[in-house]
Amino acid sequence: MKFTLALKVNALVNITSACAFFFGSTLFLPSFIEYATVGVVLFMIGSLLFLLSAVAVFNSH
């Protein structure tokens, strides 16, 4: 399967959103609780990126 630019961008968006979820969830651990607001923002960014990725795939078919 040949990767086009659109597929590479979509993969990069998915990786970025997964990282946002991972690091966002880390900020809810007790030792980082003072950064919980940043964790919420990262969760929101990750959700938006996953949504945009899904819409892009939907529109490409």
Side-chain angles (χ1 to χ4, degrees):
M1 178 176 171
K2 184 178 178 184
F3 282 100
T4 63
L5 180 60
L7 287 175
K8 288 181 181 180
V9 170
N10 194 11
L12 184 60
V13 168
N14 282 327
I15 291 168
T16 303
S17 56
C19 288
F21 273 115
F22 175 77
F23 290 114
S25 63
T26 302
L27 295 177
F28 285 103
L29 293 172
S31 58
F32 300 112
I33 199 64
E34 64 269 8
Y35 300 107
T37 304
V38 176
V40 170
V41 171
L42 286 173
F43 263 69
M44 292 173 69
I45 290 170
S47 298
L48 179 63
L49 289 174
F50 271 135
L51 175 65
L52 292 175
S53 175
V55 169
V57 169
F58 180 78
N59 285 334
S60 70
H61 290 106

